[in-house]
């Protein structure tokens, strides 16, 4: 089976660099291709816009296997040559893997904060997130503050996508963070701040998906195993070239 590594014409330099690294470690199972892959053929695509919007809906409709490359959960590359890229299969949501290496990029985690005084931190998603899968982040953002207000009278601090304030500033004193699938939820979990997210969020296993939990949000055990699982699903370009990401495309 050939896996097509799709270069996005609107971001040619960036996506070709990523796909070239995957191809180098692909052991003959991959092929770099600019634009849309042949119909019904499995493919890897970068990001939520442009090419993804053209080819992902068709793959979902006909059941074609596909993988998404996005910024890493920790030390993200942000389209550059250094840092980490995450790979997920058939959507935005990472798998919760068992027995991942806990020595890969370990980080200190603060104890969970107990219920008490504090604000609700609302991290709004980017407008294009999930668009290739038919998600409407603008609609979600228009209603979420009102829906939060039905559950609590706590102050709400709104954090827009691209906010220049340090996230740690907004997390200080927060009772809970609410977001859709923003990676801000991952930072919140590491800081011990409970999260309420949508099921597509990488932080969903460590939080709640119900706003009704906002006054007493969940604080699950197992953060170390969850973190190790995320770290097993992100790679540098060098790791891709060495073949470390290939099992993600074979599973």
């Amino acid at each position: 089976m050939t896996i097509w590594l799709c270069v996005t014409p609107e971001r040619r330099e960036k996506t070709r660099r990523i796909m070239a690294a995957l191809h180098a470690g692909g052991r003959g199972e991959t092929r770099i291709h600019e634009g849309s892959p042949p119909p019904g053929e499995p493919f890897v695509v970068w990001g939520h816009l442009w090419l993804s919007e053209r080819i992902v809906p068709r793959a979902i409709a006909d059941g074609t296997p596909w993988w998404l490359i996005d910024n890493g959960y920790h030390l993200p590359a942000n389209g550059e040559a250094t840092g980490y890229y995450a790979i997920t299969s058939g959507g935005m949501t990472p798998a919760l893997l068992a027995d991942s290496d806990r020595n890969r990029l370990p980080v200190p985690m603060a104890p969970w904060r107990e219920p008490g005084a504090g604000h609700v931190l609302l991290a709004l998603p980017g407008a294009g997130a999930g668009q290739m899968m038919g998600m409407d982040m603008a609609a979600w953002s228009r209603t979420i503050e009102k829906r939060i207000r039905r559950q609590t009278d706590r102050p709400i601090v709104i954090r827009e996508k691209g906010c220049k304030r340090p996230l740690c500033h907004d997390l200080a004193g927060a009772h809970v963070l609410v977001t859709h699938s923003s990676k801000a939820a991952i930072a919140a979990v590491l800081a011990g701040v409970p999260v309420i997210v949508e099921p597509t969020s990488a932080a969903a296993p460590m939080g709640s998906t119900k706003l009704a939990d906002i006054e007493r949000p969940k604080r699950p055990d197992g953060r170390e195993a969850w973190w190790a699982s995320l770290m097993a699903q992100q790679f540098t370009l060098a790791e891709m070239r060495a073949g470390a990401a290939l099992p993600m495309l074979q599973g």
Side-chain angles (χ1 to χ4, degrees), residues 43 50 62 65 123 173 193 218 221:
F43 62 85
W50 301 301
D62 62 21
V193 177
K218 295 179 180 179
D221 295 329

Side-chain angles (χ1 to χ4, degrees), residues 118-121 148-149 152-157:
H119 61 269
V120 175
L121 177 57
I148 291 172
R149 186 52 68 212
T152 184
D153 58 3
R154 293 173 182 271
I156 300 174
V157 174

Side-chain angles (χ1 to χ4, degrees), residues 26-242:
R27 300 173 187 170
E29 297 185 24
T30 62
R31 179 175 174 180
I32 298 176
H33 181 75
E34 181 153 339
S36 303
E41 293 289 320
F43 62 85
V44 179
V45 68
W46 170 85
H48 296 214
L49 302 175
W50 301 301
L51 182 59
S52 289
E53 295 175 273
R54 299 193 289 272
I55 65 178
V56 167
R58 183 180 67 190
I60 293 173
D62 62 21
T64 298
W66 63 282
W67 293 264
L68 176 69
I69 294 184
D70 207 344
N71 286 318
Y73 311 107
H74 181 52
L75 304 175
N78 295 316
E80 301 301 327
T82 58
Y84 288 83
Y85 292 95
I87 301 178
T88 50
S89 175
M92 300 163 50
T93 312
L96 187 57
L97 305 176
D99 302 322
S100 298
D101 181 6
R102 298 194 184 191
N103 293 315
R104 176 176 166 80
L105 300 174
V107 297
M109 298 186 190
W112 282 121
R113 292 184 193 171
E114 294 301 321
H119 61 269
V120 175
L121 177 57
L122 172 56
L124 297 177
Q131 195 162 297
M132 77 290 193
M133 297 177 65
M135 298 181 187
D136 188 342
M137 294 299 171
W140 187 91
S141 296
R142 282 195 300 269
T143 64
I144 185 61
E145 188 176 358
K146 290 181 180 178
R147 290 190 285 130
I148 291 172
R149 186 52 68 212
R150 294 191 196 111
Q151 304 293 334
T152 184
D153 58 3
R154 293 173 182 271
I156 300 174
V157 174
I158 298 177
R159 184 178 178 86
E160 302 276 354
K161 177 70 174 178
C163 177
K164 300 302 183 183
R165 292 191 310 272
L167 179 56
C168 60
H169 176 274
D170 289 347
L171 288 172
H175 165 71
V176 66
L177 177 139
V178 176
T179 190
H180 191 287
S181 301
S182 170
K183 291 184 174 71
I186 297 174
V189 171
L190 297 179
V193 177
V195 299
I196 297 177
V197 296
E198 295 295 323
T200 48
S201 170
M206 289 294 107
S208 174
T209 57
K210 298 178 181 178
L211 284 173
D213 294 332
I214 202 162
E215 282 301 322
R216 297 194 67 82
K218 295 179 180 179
R219 297 163 175 78
D221 295 329
R223 284 189 294 168
E224 291 78 10
W226 162 79
W227 181 253
S229 174
L230 291 185
M231 294 305 95
Q233 297 172 82
Q234 66 165 35
F235 308 91
T236 64
L237 296 182
E239 288 173 337
M240 291 180 193
R241 286 191 286 268

